[in-house]
């Protein structure tokens, strides 16, 4: 096995968010070991840092319990088997699974049995749902890199070694976002009332969420004709989102932009947003939001059975309170969504203290997540490698 002073690091990162996290980790590893070699499954952020992608991270992109998952399952199992065999035949210094727990934990367990040190980056949300997964984590990972401050103590109770490394988004998003600059970038006026609509980045999310979101926008525009509505769309979903806007009769009333989600969140007064990582981004931008989600009824029933907390949105989970409203599944009617958004928009003039209180809560949240993630993660990896050598 290679010496730890020139490590060979096998990694698997799933989807865009995992690619971003892995890219930051590679920054820390390259700072510590300029000649580090990394390979496995990754995306463009990782490849920009010299990562050798044997498969692309987008291969791991699936959604819930949908038919898409079933269709991809056999292909994913084949990729995982081939990767496992390749790594066991030529062991790396360490394996790091970045997010994608359904794919990575099983792989980590097999590699660990073969004597390869394993790290899982991003603790699975055992505090929110699927608490039974803690046994799998303990069997699979020698160490877990955590992005939320309460997770290491939780894992320690179950005999799992972990390090809090901060949330990388807290470093990317400024503590005091420049709303005026973001509006200028998007061609919006300083005094516009701006709503950001984020219906998700996956195909299934757009299918189930975009329609009620856009119907809610149509309701809002009836009473607020001057409202500026901006929709950041990932390139692969833009055509579907544009088609949905046409179906809802608001195509000429909304501005759909490719990417630029951070600029849109910085520019907005409020966001109507699908539950997921984007809600944390909105919180770090200190923006009021209405969190919603809608999925196939079967997927929803399965998810509800395993839910451990009263909150679904990350801002509410991290604050331990319903600081922003959540309208989920059957409760996510266009009328209810529009009413919840209208309350935030009106609060700027009628309840400014409500806005200020929320901004204060989100600033405190931001501060708690702000750490030197690349360095802390690389330091933890270095310690594991040193222990292996010893």
């Amino acid at each position: 096995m290679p010496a730890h002073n020139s490590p060979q690091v096998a990694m698997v990162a799933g989807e865009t968010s995992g690619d971003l996290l892995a890219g930051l980790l590679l920054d820390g590893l390259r700072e510590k070991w300029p000649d580090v070699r990394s390979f496995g499954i990754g995306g463009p952020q990782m490849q920009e840092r010299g990562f050798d992608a044997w498969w692309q991270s987008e291969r791991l992109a699936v959604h819930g319990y949908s038919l898409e998952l079933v269709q991809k399952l056999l292909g994913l199992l084949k990729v995982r088997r081939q990767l496992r065999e390749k790594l066991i035949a030529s062991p790396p210094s360490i394996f790091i699974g970045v997010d994608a727990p359904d794919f990575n934990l099983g792989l980590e367990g097999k590699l660990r049995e073969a004597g390869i040190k394993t790290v899982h980056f991003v603790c699975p949300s055992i505090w929110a749902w699927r608490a039974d997964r803690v046994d799998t984590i303990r069997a699979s990972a020698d160490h877990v890199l955590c992005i939320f401050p309460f997770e290491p103590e939780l894992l320690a109770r179950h005999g799992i070694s972990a390090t809090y490394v901060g949330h990388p988004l807290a470093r990317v998003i400024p503590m005091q976002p420049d709303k005026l600059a973001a509006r200028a970038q998007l061609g919006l006026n300083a005094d516009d009332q701006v709503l950001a609509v984020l219906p998700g980045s996956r195909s299934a999310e757009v299918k189930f969420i975009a329609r009620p979101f856009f119907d809610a926008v149509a309701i809002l525009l009836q009473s607020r004709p001057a409202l500026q509505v901006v929709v950041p769309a990932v390139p692969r979903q833009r055509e579907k989102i544009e088609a949905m806007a046409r179906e809802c009769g608001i195509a000429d009333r909304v501005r759909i932009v490719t990417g630029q989600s951070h600029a849109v969140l910085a520019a907005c007064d409020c966001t109507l947003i699908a539950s997921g990582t984007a809600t944390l981004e909105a919180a770090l931008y200190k923006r009021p939001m209405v969190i919603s989600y809608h999925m196939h009824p079967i997927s929803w029933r399965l998810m509800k059975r395993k839910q451990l907390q009263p909150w679904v949105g990350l801002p509410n989970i991290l604050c331990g309170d319903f600081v922003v409203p959540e309208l989920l599944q059957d409760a996510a009617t266009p009328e209810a969504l529009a009413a919840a958004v209208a309350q935030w928009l009106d609060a700027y003039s009628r309840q400014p203290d409500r806005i200020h209180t929320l901004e204060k809560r989100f600033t405190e949240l931001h501060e708690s997540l702000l750490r030197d993630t690349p360095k802390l993660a690389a330091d933890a990896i270095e310690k594991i490698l040193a222990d292996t050598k010893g």
Side-chain angles (χ1 to χ4, degrees), residues 12-336:
V12 170
E15 302 189 65
T16 302
S17 58
D19 181 41
L20 173 63
L21 286 168
L24 292 172
L25 175 55
L26 284 171
D27 284 340
L29 295 177
R30 292 172 71 199
E31 180 70 22
K32 196 173 290 290
W33 300 291
D35 56 349
V36 65
R37 181 173 171 244
S38 57
F39 45 83
I41 301 177
Q45 293 288 335
M46 299 165 71
Q47 290 172 271
E48 286 178 8
R49 294 159 170 86
F51 183 82
D52 183 5
W54 296 341
W55 292 273
Q56 293 294 316
S57 59
E58 63 186 26
R59 292 284 295 272
L60 276 62
V62 294
H63 175 68
Y65 298 92
S66 66
L67 180 60
E68 179 186 4
L69 176 60
V70 177
Q71 292 170 334
K72 285 191 171 185
L73 182 58
L74 291 178
L76 289 176
L77 291 174
K78 181 179 179 181
V79 167
R80 187 165 66 173
R81 184 183 68 251
Q82 291 174 341
L83 178 59
R84 181 184 70 236
E85 292 172 351
K86 195 169 184 177
L87 295 179
I88 291 176
S90 181
S93 309
I94 196 166
F95 174 84
I96 306 172
V98 184
D99 215 355
D102 290 315
F103 186 97
N104 276 326
L105 289 175
L107 175 60
E108 289 163 20
K110 294 295 184 182
L111 296 178
R112 195 179 186 193
E113 288 175 4
I116 298 170
K117 285 291 182 180
T118 60
V119 172
H120 194 80
F121 188 10
V122 181
C123 176
S125 303
I126 55 173
W127 35 266
W129 70 300
R130 291 188 68 174
D132 57 310
R133 188 175 259 176
V134 70
D135 295 326
T136 303
I137 299 170
R138 185 171 49 242
S140 301
D142 289 292
H143 201 83
V144 178
L145 301 177
C146 301
I147 61 175
F148 296 125
F150 61 84
E151 292 174 327
E153 182 182 350
L154 173 62
L155 291 172
R157 291 184 215 145
H158 298 279
I160 301 169
S161 175
T163 300
Y164 173 53
V165 299
H167 200 296
L169 282 173
R171 287 167 52 86
V172 172
I173 297 171
M175 191 65 69
Q176 296 181 320
D178 192 334
K179 179 183 282 190
L180 293 180
R183 291 190 172 198
Q185 177 183 333
L186 295 167
L188 297 165
N189 296 322
D191 58 351
D192 283 337
Q193 192 172 62
V194 180
L195 172 65
V197 178
L198 283 77
S201 60
R202 298 179 176 125
S203 178
E205 288 175 331
V206 172
K207 176 183 177 182
F208 284 104
I209 299 170
R211 183 60 189 253
F213 276 22
F214 285 169
D215 284 341
V217 167
I219 293 171
L220 287 164
L221 288 170
Q222 289 176 10
S223 58
R224 301 167 187 267
L227 180 66
Q228 299 296 309
V229 182
V230 188
V231 185
V234 296
R236 64 180 179 277
Q237 299 300 336
R238 175 161 184 156
E239 190 173 324
K240 292 180 182 177
I241 289 173
E242 289 175 340
M244 192 74 71
R246 287 194 297 271
E247 290 176 19
C248 296
I250 60 169
D252 60 342
R253 303 294 305 278
V254 302
R255 184 178 312 189
I256 300 172
V257 299
T258 301
Q260 302 185 76
S261 62
H262 281 195
V264 173
L265 288 172
C268 76
D269 295 300
C270 174
T271 176
L272 176 57
I273 191 165
S275 180
T277 303
T279 63
L280 179 58
E281 294 173 324
L284 295 176
Y285 275 104
K286 326 298 184 299
R287 297 299 180 249
M289 71 190 84
V290 176
I291 297 174
S292 183
Y293 210 76
H294 197 281
M295 60 176 67
H296 191 282
I298 294 176
S299 297
W300 175 251
R301 285 195 291 271
L302 290 169
M303 187 77 73
K304 284 293 288 180
R305 257 184 235 148
K306 298 179 178 181
Q307 185 179 343
L308 300 178
Q309 299 198 46
W311 315 284
V312 169
L314 278 171
N316 290 337
I317 289 172
L318 294 170
C319 291
D321 194 7
F322 281 104
V323 295
V324 295
E326 296 181 2
L327 294 169
L328 310 173
Q329 204 65 7
D330 294 340
T333 65
E335 293 78 12

